[in-house]
Amino acid sequence: MKGTLGTLGTLAQVRSYPGSVQLLMVNQFTINLGFYMLMPYLATHLAGPLGLAGWTVGLILGVRNFSQQGMFLIGGALADRFGYKPMIISGLVLRIAGFVTLGLVDSVPALIAASAATGLAGALFNPATRAYLAVDAGERRVEAFALFNVFYQAGILLGPLVGMVLTGIDFRVTCLAAAGIFALLSIVQIRALPSRRGNDSNDSKDQENGRPERVLTQWRGILANRPFLLFSFAMIGSYVLSFQVYLALPLEVRRMGGEGDFATTAVALLFVVSGLSTILGQTKITAWCKSRRVEPGRALTWGLLTMGAAFLPLLGATAVPVPGGGIGLWLLAAVPPALSALLLALGTMIAYPFEMDTIVRLSGDRLVATHYGLYNTICGIGITLGNLLAGAALDAARAAGVSALPWIALTLLGLACAAALHRLDRTGRLTTPPHTSRPVPATT
């Protein structure tokens, strides 16, 4: 009953926003649904039916990640220059082509090109979507980003389940179904999403000749925004920590519980705990923070502290003697990682809406999509380096027989990032520049 009331309350909140904001939320749910229908099963398809070598599979998957993270800045700049709607639709169409190609070809060059296309698609529509949401939500953008995260996580949670059913028939069916979802979404966006851009079109013109300011000039201005860059680097840790749901936690479950059905179920439980807790708790936590008038800097600090503390259950488990088998071993293998996943989700729920809002404020409400693009690029590079170090720590811990090492390192990372955000907040570097004002939607 409570779950039903919570769902109805969430839907009522969504309906209180303009139609464009509602559509962007459904848009993000559908994007994640289609993406996670396909991507979790792509590696198995490449290595199994297609018989590709492991390094080739890694290359194809890596190209997708690199093309998305490396092109976020370009996608954001294009959105600020040409408007948000064209970039959203261009990204959707490009992903349709990528998914169809992944399902129908078996040559390595074509698979690499398709993988690059799916990544570039995300670089086009992600910054544009967030900038559009920030503009149209106005003063309520913190609450809007909280709702946005609910739809985001719902797509991640449902997508693999749908994909598992379709992949059981044929992976090509999954690819074509995902492409069909994106095609339908594209039609809806073309017909129903208003054209929109930020309020900085006049500010971004050259003062001498009235022409649009050069992109490199805009980038130099953003790179000179020291508070924004410091905030971006401080937030890298949050993405490294949250990504451990996909890296360190599943590896720990399999290290303790083996490679059988139990490990598969326990790993699935991690994603269910993370997704469901966000769907059920995100709006409540954000509403609580707003009701207590929690400042954005304090919320961000609390979020990072919670994410750092997420690895304490795993650290505590290293002090418990490992049972030889039975239910004791199962509990030790499943419960601490599940608690960690829950705390990581809680920390993300506290921080995420204020994180997205802080990017807009530090941008001065100017070139918002470009700021989102650069922010995503910085955090994406940080995730790659952080995961390399996390993987190295896991290997070193296993080789040295010091199982507590990675959990200590990840906890310290959370504390360090929380301290950095607290410092930025105390020195006033997370506040709105005094010469800026709230953006006003500009329909084109």
Side-chain angles (χ1 to χ4, degrees):
M1 183 67 178
K2 289 184 178 180
T4 302
L5 292 175
T7 302
L8 292 175
T10 299
L11 294 177
Q13 282 184 272
V14 172
R15 286 196 294 270
S16 69
Y17 284 91
S20 59
V21 174
Q22 298 180 40
L23 186 55
L24 290 172
M25 293 178 184
V26 176
N27 177 7
Q28 191 60 54
F29 166 76
T30 312
I31 285 173
N32 280 7
L33 172 67
F35 182 83
Y36 285 95
M37 278 170 54
L38 185 151
M39 294 309 295
Y41 309 103
L42 178 59
T44 302
H45 169 71
L46 297 174
L50 298 189
L52 300 182
W55 71 267
T56 309
V57 175
L59 174 64
I60 293 171
L61 297 180
V63 163
R64 189 212 68 79
N65 186 68
F66 179 79
S67 65
Q68 179 161 316
Q69 301 295 343
M71 295 296 289
F72 267 129
L73 180 57
I74 302 293
L78 291 173
D80 280 325
R81 179 58 58 95
F82 300 109
Y84 304 144
K85 180 176 179 177
M87 293 304 105
I88 292 173
I89 294 172
S90 297
L92 294 175
V93 172
L94 192 57
R95 188 156 281 184
I96 294 169
F99 282 177
V100 170
T101 305
L102 286 174
L104 299 182
V105 305
D106 55 10
S107 70
V108 172
L111 290 169
I112 291 175
S115 185
T118 63
L120 177 58
L124 292 178
F125 59 61
N126 276 331
T129 298
R130 283 152 182 77
Y132 197 141
L133 185 71
V135 169
D136 272 25
E139 296 289 352
R140 299 174 62 203
R141 65 182 177 229
V142 170
E143 295 87 344
F145 277 116
L147 288 168
F148 184 81
N149 197 31
V150 172
F151 282 81
Y152 188 96
Q153 293 295 330
I156 293 177
L157 186 63
L158 185 60
L161 299 177
V162 177
M164 180 175 61
V165 174
L166 295 177
T167 302
I169 302 172
D170 193 300
F171 182 75
R172 288 175 295 182
V173 174
T174 306
C175 291
L176 295 177
I181 288 174
F182 274 82
L184 179 61
L185 184 61
S186 299
I187 295 171
V188 173
Q189 304 296 298
I190 292 170
R191 292 176 61 88
L193 188 66
S195 295
R196 190 80 76 230
R197 62 197 313 155
N199 70 328
D200 54 6
S201 55
N202 292 326
D203 295 337
S204 62
K205 290 184 178 180
D206 190 288
Q207 295 297 324
E208 295 183 2
N209 54 32
R211 294 177 181 176
E213 193 175 56
R214 295 191 179 198
V215 171
L216 291 180
T217 302
Q218 294 174 350
W219 289 1
R220 281 195 295 268
I222 295 173
L223 291 174
N225 186 344
R226 185 175 175 83
F228 170 74
L229 293 180
L230 290 173
F231 172 70
S232 300
F233 284 111
M235 287 300 295
I236 286 175
S238 70
Y239 286 87
V240 174
L241 295 175
S242 63
F243 196 86
Q244 301 315 306
V245 172
Y246 303 97
L247 178 62
L249 300 190
L251 290 176
E252 179 66 7
V253 168
R254 290 191 164 92
R255 184 183 74 84
M256 295 291 296
E259 289 290 343
D261 292 338
F262 165 76
T264 301
T265 302
V267 170
L269 178 66
L270 298 177
F271 304 126
V272 171
V273 166
S274 179
L276 275 183
S277 61
T278 301
I279 292 170
L280 298 176
Q282 175 70 80
T283 56
K284 296 180 179 65
I285 289 173
T286 303
W288 184 86
C289 290
K290 296 287 286 186
S291 68
R292 298 299 179 94
R293 293 184 171 84
V294 177
E295 294 296 322
R298 183 177 298 180
L300 290 165
T301 303
W302 287 357
L304 265 296
L305 284 173
T306 305
M307 296 176 77
F311 299 95
L312 294 179
L314 290 161
L315 181 59
T318 62
V320 178
V322 179
I327 190 171
L329 179 61
W330 294 348
L331 290 174
L332 190 62
V335 174
L339 288 174
S340 294
L342 179 61
L343 288 172
L344 285 172
L346 176 60
T348 303
M349 283 186 273
I350 296 171
Y352 179 80
F354 297 96
E355 170 194 358
M356 295 292 103
D357 176 67
T358 299
I359 295 170
V360 179
R361 286 188 291 108
L362 292 181
S363 74
D365 298 328
R366 183 175 183 273
L367 300 173
V368 175
T370 308
H371 280 81
Y372 274 124
L374 179 58
Y375 181 83
N376 284 327
T377 296
I378 291 172
C379 291
I381 295 171
I383 289 173
T384 302
L385 296 176
N387 284 340
L388 288 174
L389 294 175
L394 290 167
D395 290 340
R398 184 172 298 181
V402 186
S403 56
L405 175 63
W407 316 129
I408 293 174
L410 290 167
T411 300
L412 291 176
L413 175 62
L415 293 176
C417 291
L421 288 166
H422 179 66
R423 174 71 176 171
L424 290 174
D425 186 38
R426 289 196 62 182
T427 55
R429 295 183 179 182
L430 299 183
T431 56
T432 306
H435 63 280
T436 62
S437 60
R438 182 178 68 84
V440 178
T443 302
T444 60

